[in-house]
Amino acid sequence: MTPTAVREGSVPVVRAEGVCKSFGSVEVLKGIDLTVRAGQVMCLVGPSGSGKSTFLRCVNHLERIDAGRLYVGDELIGYAERGGRLHELGEKEVARQRRAIGMVFQKFHLFPHLTAWENVVEAPVLVNGEPKAAARARGRELLARVGLADKADSYPSQLSGGQQQRVAIARALAMRPKLMLFDEPTSALDPELVGEVLDVMRGLADDGMTMIVVTHEMGFAREVGDALVFMDDGVVVESGRPADVLGSPREARTRAFLRKVL
């Protein structure tokens, strides 16, 4: 059985059922249904404003959904259901849920007064209560994993954009997430720095990390993705294996978009 077949038969890590989200009168998500299985890499592509990043932020309740359900594992994210109605969880419970979900943004959001190593170690100690010695040792291991063992004592201002993004990935991994969300992680980087971040993400995929990646890097989506979802105007227009969607798109809107980016 191929690795992709194993992933397709594995248990769902993310389930979105009829997810809707509006900002004022603007309906950004119009009933999104998606399933991401354990070890799967799902790539979300589409034009700006199509709802990709908003959906990603809903997965860890950085944005509240207006309708539908979002599950990570068996847990309803951001809400408890009682008597057939949803009640939003308190911030403490939401924070607990987020510990299992790593997120890497376009911007790096590193603490400028902390070294790379200290940025990685901070949350496991303060949030998870890990012993300092163990967290520090693992912080060194994670920096080595993303190719930055020699930059552990450097401050963010001393690092390139690609290096800062790799520190951000190591920081997310330090919380031992079962799911990683990437919101266009290379869009703020100079072209020559994109590859080093994508290489780290390839390594995570090879290790079986479940990932949802909003990206414009179609080569990465084709090579690493197990599923590709094309979104436009708040809906899923087309989804399938990356080679199929990129090579033989069924929908006219998908074909029009791909003509511009491939």
Side-chain angles (χ1 to χ4, degrees):
M1 186 177 293
T2 66
T4 299
V6 171
R7 288 192 285 267
E8 289 178 348
S10 57
V11 298
V13 172
V14 178
R15 283 185 295 133
E17 301 175 353
V19 171
C20 297
K21 173 66 182 177
S22 296
F23 294 103
S25 61
V26 179
E27 196 175 6
V28 179
L29 300 176
K30 303 174 182 178
I32 302 296
D33 296 304
L34 288 175
T35 299
V36 185
R37 298 189 176 278
Q40 193 174 42
V41 178
M42 176 176 284
C43 295
L44 305 183
V45 304
S48 297
S50 58
K52 309 181 303 295
S53 294
T54 297
F55 174 75
L56 213 63
R57 292 173 63 83
C58 288
V59 173
N60 63 0
H61 204 61
L62 289 174
E63 299 289 353
R64 297 173 175 86
I65 64 175
D66 298 321
R69 304 284 191 277
L70 261 171
Y71 297 88
V72 173
D74 294 326
E75 195 165 15
L76 186 62
I77 292 298
Y79 297 90
E81 188 166 3
R82 294 191 293 270
R85 300 186 63 182
L86 294 183
H87 301 267
E88 189 171 8
L89 297 175
E91 185 56 38
K92 185 176 180 180
E93 277 299 296
V94 172
R96 178 191 60 77
Q97 291 182 330
R98 287 188 186 134
R99 293 176 196 173
I101 306 170
M103 187 159 185
V104 178
F105 300 88
Q106 297 178 33
K107 298 295 184 180
F108 323 122
H109 300 300
L110 300 178
F111 294 113
H113 63 290
L114 299 180
T115 65
W117 178 55
E118 290 167 339
N119 265 281
V120 174
V121 170
E122 183 90 347
V125 173
L126 294 183
V127 178
N128 281 357
E130 290 189 20
K132 288 184 178 180
R136 288 170 176 168
R138 189 159 184 270
R140 298 273 184 190
E141 292 173 2
L142 288 170
L143 285 175
R145 181 177 182 178
V146 300
L148 292 174
D150 60 333
K151 299 294 184 181
D153 298 320
S154 298
Y155 289 90
S157 62
Q158 299 170 314
L159 301 174
S160 71
Q163 290 169 336
Q164 290 185 62
Q165 192 63 296
R166 284 187 280 158
V167 173
I169 293 173
R171 179 181 59 185
L173 293 174
M175 295 295 286
R176 305 179 190 275
K178 60 183 177 184
L179 169 68
M180 285 285 286
L181 309 176
F182 291 88
D183 187 7
E184 299 189 32
T186 61
S187 65
L189 302 179
D190 292 334
E192 65 267 23
L193 302 178
V194 168
E196 62 190 44
V197 173
L198 294 181
D199 285 344
V200 171
M201 294 170 65
R202 286 187 187 94
L204 293 179
D206 290 342
D207 290 344
M209 175 61 74
T210 308
M211 300 159 60
I212 306 177
V213 184
V214 173
T215 185
H216 294 294
E217 301 290 339
M218 298 301 168
F220 174 86
R222 184 190 296 271
E223 175 192 347
V224 180
D226 299 297
L228 188 143
V229 174
F230 172 62
M231 291 180 61
D232 188 32
D233 195 28
V235 300
V236 173
V237 176
E238 186 165 350
S239 63
R241 296 177 183 270
D244 296 337
V245 176
L246 296 175
S248 302
R250 300 184 304 273
E251 302 295 330
R253 181 65 187 93
T254 312
R255 292 194 292 272
F257 172 76
L258 293 176
R259 278 197 296 269
K260 296 178 180 179
V261 299
L262 291 180

